[in-house]
Amino acid sequence: QVQLVESGGGLVQAGGSRRLSCVASRSVFDIDAMGWYRQPPGKQRELVAQILSSGRISQPDSVKGRFTISRDNAKNTVYLQMNSLKPDDTAVYYCNAWKQGLSYWGQGTQVTVSS
């Protein structure tokens, strides 16, 4: 089992930056994949970035060049650095982990981008 705790959300102006953190209850190196998803108001949850245990990264074009996922194995932490934020990036951001076919979610952290 994997517990995930996100932090770093808040209010930011358009064009600004924010870094989200996700601390896992076990080594992220042992987790098959970790990622960040977001759910804008009234919309479905969508992938923002995912990093595999191999280090391979997947991201949709909508955030490429603006959002960067990284991990710190020593701190059991995955980060999402968000730059050039837009009002459309407003959402609840969730940390996700996949291990042995099971999916785990954090409680989510709200990011609000004001225009």
Side-chain angles (χ1 to χ4, degrees):
Q1 194 166 358
V2 182
Q3 283 83 42
L4 304 168
V5 179
E6 303 104 330
S7 62
L11 178 64
V12 60
Q13 289 188 335
S17 299
R18 201 82 180 181
R19 189 176 80 160
L20 305 182
S21 301
C22 172
V23 180
S25 59
R26 61 187 302 158
S27 171
V28 297
F29 187 74
D30 293 334
I31 297 174
D32 300 324
M34 291 198 70
W36 288 94
Y37 288 72
R38 67 185 180 186
Q39 187 163 16
K43 297 183 179 180
Q44 291 186 334
R45 195 171 297 188
E46 60 184 11
L47 174 69
V48 175
Q50 185 182 63
I51 183 167
L52 303 182
S53 57
S54 64
R56 181 174 179 177
I57 292 173
S58 299
Q59 284 184 285
D61 290 341
S62 59
V63 300
K64 275 184 180 177
R66 298 192 300 124
F67 292 9
T68 303
I69 188 171
S70 63
R71 69 185 182 201
D72 185 333
N73 294 338
K75 296 182 179 179
N76 295 348
T77 301
V78 172
Y79 302 99
L80 183 69
Q81 177 67 43
M82 305 184 292
N83 299 326
S84 302
L85 283 162
K86 307 173 183 179
D88 285 349
D89 295 317
T90 294
V92 179
Y93 284 72
Y94 296 91
C95 184
N96 172 263
W98 278 94
K99 183 166 177 64
Q100 296 180 333
L102 296 178
S103 180
Y104 302 91
W105 294 93
Q107 81 286 355
T109 186
Q110 175 72 44
V111 174
T112 302
V113 183
S114 63
S115 57

